[in-house]
Amino acid sequence: MPDADHVWYRARLATLSPQRDGLGIVDDGLIAERGGMIVYAGPAADAPSGLATANRIDCEGRWITPGLIDCHTHLVYGGNRAHEFELRLAGASYEEIARRGGGILSTVTATRQASEDQLVATAQRRLDVLIAEGVTTIEIKSGYGLELATERRQLRASRRLGQLNPVTVKTTFLGAHALPPERAGDSKGYIASVCDEMMPALANEGLIDAVDTFCEAIAFSADETAQVLSRARDLRLAVKLHADQLSNLHGAALAAKFGALSADHLEYADEDGVAAMRRAGTVAVVLPGAFYFLRERQAPPIALMRQHGVRIALATDSNPGSSPLTSLLLAMNMGATLFRLTVDECIAAVTREAARALGLFGTTGSLEAGKQCDLAIWNMERPAELVYRIGFNPLHARVFRGRPT
Ligand code: DI6
Ligand code: FE
């Protein structure tokens, strides 16, 4: 094997390779990288000879995991909703606030007023926090514009964040997030403009990697959702779905019917929905930050997901209304504490399974030859420390596409 650009040695690896059991642990591990790609990851003893490089990094026994992946965020928006938080503390519910024209619509007003530069600058501060925790890939949704110009601005701001930072950004068009105030009473007309105007235009501009819809009693019905997803499929765009978060509209089964990469939230999903997801290979993305912040009572059916072999990812759902969370490590802790995921499930959920939820497992999400060299290097004695602490960041270093950052 020819020379490497970097070699990390004396490392303990959690490879997350599907070829290995559990976290795919290698005790005396070595990773070699060339041109941003992993050329070897495994036991030092089995490493090919001749991996000559001037850049040999002694990890002194530290752990290396794949760079973390936050596969569901609404990171780009104007303003914040601290005032609504106060209203909720005084007894109002999330649904009541939404029905009174607050909620998502108050963020829509603030986002429409923000320039692209302002959207980039405010999201940058949140992204910095995620990057500092070892995140190397993030999904960012639109959905706070609800008209073409602002949806475009949000998606362009998201793409720019990817150009400005050592992180891969995947964009999701969430035009069907709420009914905009100027279309009140006309959800049919609005869905038509999402499908026939916004989606094709934005797809044409290369701004959309996937299409999502908020399928919920306070948002869009199953029929309206199906229209959006079927239009996305016609345009050959991947689909995802906000499904069964606050009530059971059979969103899980609907996502599966459209071959969605993921169905997200899923607190109220039933066994038929879970079984359909398994058959379609749709990943379950659970979002304990929203569950916690809205003080929900019904946790997603994790036992059914395990029983049916549905893959489980975890994300922050970072957004101003239901999950103002910018810590994927804390999301893991909540996944374990609130949803009773195991440590191994939590770590897989922010690496391998999160990559699958974005259709990216061919390029990232595990430490294997042929993948992008996206690494998180941790000061810890055992992987459980990633999940166990609350508000402590054990990251030692981060590598994005082979470059220490
Ligand atoms: N589900 C959520 O949890 C967020 N969006 C969605 O479809 C909430 C967004 C917000 O309240 O601003
Ligand atoms: Fe969300």
Side-chain angles (χ1 to χ4, degrees):
M1 181 173 296
D3 294 355
D5 292 337
H6 292 93
V7 168
W8 290 267
Y9 67 102
R10 284 218 295 161
R12 288 181 276 180
L13 311 180
T15 63
L16 278 302
S17 163
Q19 317 307 327
R20 300 175 190 266
D21 291 339
L23 295 176
I25 288 175
V26 176
D27 275 324
D28 183 11
L30 180 149
I31 297 175
E33 166 271 335
R34 190 171 56 244
M37 307 300 280
I38 296 173
V39 291
Y40 177 79
D46 300 343
S49 52
L51 284 174
T53 173
N55 298 316
R56 285 177 59 81
I57 297 137
D58 182 352
C59 295
E60 302 171 324
R62 292 189 181 87
W63 281 88
I64 306 183
T65 66
L68 305 189
I69 302 174
D70 194 351
C71 67
H72 178 141
T73 85
H74 311 246
L75 202 75
V76 171
Y77 55 82
N80 71 62
R81 306 243 288 280
H83 177 56
E84 289 182 8
F85 177 54
E86 292 181 289
L87 294 178
R88 285 201 300 112
L89 290 175
S93 75
Y94 180 74
E95 286 96 329
E96 277 159 23
I97 293 170
R99 290 190 198 284
R100 277 194 254 134
I104 292 172
L105 294 187
S106 55
T107 300
V108 169
T109 305
T111 305
R112 287 179 177 179
Q113 285 164 2
S115 68
E116 188 178 313
D117 286 350
Q118 285 168 334
L119 291 176
V120 170
T122 51
Q124 179 67 53
R125 302 186 56 189
R126 296 185 276 272
L127 183 56
D128 286 342
V129 182
L130 291 165
I131 286 175
E133 283 190 346
V135 168
T136 53
T137 302
I138 181 173
E139 183 253 19
I140 305 178
K141 300 177 196 293
S142 69
Y144 290 121
L146 311 182
E147 43 84 15
L148 181 59
T150 310
E151 290 288 312
R152 176 187 286 128
R153 216 158 56 247
Q154 270 193 286
L155 293 166
R156 289 174 53 109
S158 305
R159 286 271 193 251
R160 260 176 65 195
L161 288 165
Q163 288 152 8
L164 294 168
N165 291 279
V167 71
T168 301
V169 172
K170 290 294 254 184
T171 57
T172 299
F173 172 59
L174 179 58
H177 193 194
L179 193 59
E182 66 277 8
R183 308 297 282 260
D186 181 26
S187 71
K188 191 162 182 273
Y190 181 65
I191 289 294
S193 84
V194 166
C195 293
D196 302 334
E197 181 205 359
M198 296 189 230
M199 198 194 306
L202 298 169
N204 215 12
E205 294 167 32
L207 290 172
I208 303 182
D209 296 321
V211 172
D212 193 346
T213 295
F214 191 17
C215 180
E216 191 56 63
I218 55 168
F220 295 98
S221 69
D223 282 350
E224 290 162 339
T225 301
Q227 281 181 58
V228 176
L229 300 190
S230 98
R231 184 72 171 129
R233 259 199 345 199
D234 292 347
L235 294 171
R236 300 189 183 284
L237 297 166
V239 304
K240 306 172 79 68
L241 193 60
H242 278 74
D244 304 332
Q245 178 187 5
L246 307 168
S247 60
N248 182 5
L249 294 189
H250 305 288
L254 189 63
K257 183 175 159 202
F258 283 92
L261 285 174
S262 71
D264 303 36
H265 287 287
L266 298 171
E267 277 79 349
Y268 288 84
D270 57 26
E271 183 158 12
D272 287 349
V274 171
M277 285 175 63
R278 162 68 207 201
R279 289 192 297 275
T282 297
V283 176
V285 178
V286 297
L287 303 166
F291 175 87
Y292 162 83
F293 196 65
L294 297 182
R295 290 202 263 168
E296 294 291 323
R297 293 287 173 78
Q298 181 158 331
I302 301 290
L304 284 176
M305 291 171 189
R306 287 189 186 122
Q307 206 179 305
H308 285 269
V310 169
R311 297 181 182 282
I312 301 172
L314 256 172
T316 61
D317 194 15
S318 188
N319 78 67
S322 67
S323 186
L325 170 64
T326 47
S327 172
L328 198 50
L329 294 175
L330 183 51
M332 289 162 84
N333 177 274
M334 289 177 173
T337 306
L338 301 174
F339 296 168
R340 302 196 181 270
L341 294 174
T342 66
V343 163
D344 286 12
E345 284 172 329
C346 286
I347 295 175
V350 298
T351 55
R352 183 179 64 214
E353 308 313 341
R356 286 194 166 110
L358 296 177
L360 285 180
F361 192 53
T363 54
T364 191
S366 65
L367 305 178
E368 293 177 280
K371 295 273 176 109
Q372 272 168 213
C373 187
D374 296 341
L375 314 178
I377 307 176
W378 306 96
N379 283 314
M380 62 184 183
E381 282 306 313
R382 51 190 299 142
E385 289 179 51
L386 283 185
V387 181
Y388 143 80
R389 289 204 176 84
I390 301 173
F392 180 79
N393 179 2
L395 190 77
H396 169 71
R398 186 182 171 283
V399 175
F400 177 66
R401 300 190 188 177
R403 277 174 298 127
T405 53

